[in-house]
Amino acid sequence: MADADDVRRLALALPQVVEIDSEGFDFRVADKGFIWSYPERRPGTSRLIRTDVAVLYVGDEAEKQALLLGEPEVFFTTPAYHGLPLVMLRLAQVNVDRLHELVTDAWRMRAPDARPGPATG
């Protein structure tokens, strides 16, 4: 079972990653976000920053649909993310090794010229 501390550790182990000051976590490379805390929108109230759910950059609609259809217990989306190459990831539904793979893949898509550091999962 992964958590926000695992996200932080794995993201910061990658080259050129910057953590943006936020209520949860927010990681970028080359000024492009690749994983951050889910800002859940609740009708009639302010948004709730969920550190148990990560928004993950996936690159394109085909990858998004593959994840959503293949592992609905792990990944989901909302109407606010329609048409965007992003999925929400339930951290408690993945182990640290899988999280490492997902974070590294998202980072690679946002920083294609960069090389990952050693595995830290």
Side-chain angles (χ1 to χ4, degrees):
M1 178 167 117
D3 62 20
D5 290 336
D6 295 316
V7 171
R8 182 169 281 109
R9 180 176 51 80
L10 293 169
L12 290 173
L14 295 166
Q16 303 170 10
V17 170
V18 174
E19 183 172 10
I20 304 302
D21 186 37
S22 71
E23 294 175 45
F25 54 84
D26 186 345
F27 297 98
R28 300 181 189 191
V29 61
D31 292 323
K32 299 174 188 170
F34 66 99
I35 190 166
W36 58 91
S37 301
Y38 173 47
E40 183 177 29
R41 283 143 178 84
R42 301 172 297 162
T45 63
S46 61
R47 68 185 184 159
L48 171 66
I49 302 300
R50 303 239 343 237
T51 58
D52 63 321
V53 176
V55 179
L56 182 71
Y57 182 82
V58 295
D60 62 32
E61 188 67 22
E63 180 66 16
K64 178 178 183 172
Q65 291 305 316
L67 292 170
L68 293 172
L69 294 171
E71 298 177 84
E73 70 284 357
V74 176
F75 301 100
F76 69 99
T77 190
T78 66
Y81 289 89
H82 179 72
L84 299 173
L86 304 168
V87 294
M88 275 60 75
L89 164 65
R90 293 177 181 96
L91 294 173
Q93 298 298 316
V94 296
N95 64 33
V96 175
D97 289 338
R98 179 73 192 284
L99 180 63
H100 180 263
E101 173 188 320
L102 293 165
V103 170
T104 303
D105 287 349
W107 171 83
R108 275 191 188 115
M109 286 182 270
R110 298 304 259 176
D113 294 334
R115 299 268 187 250
T120 58

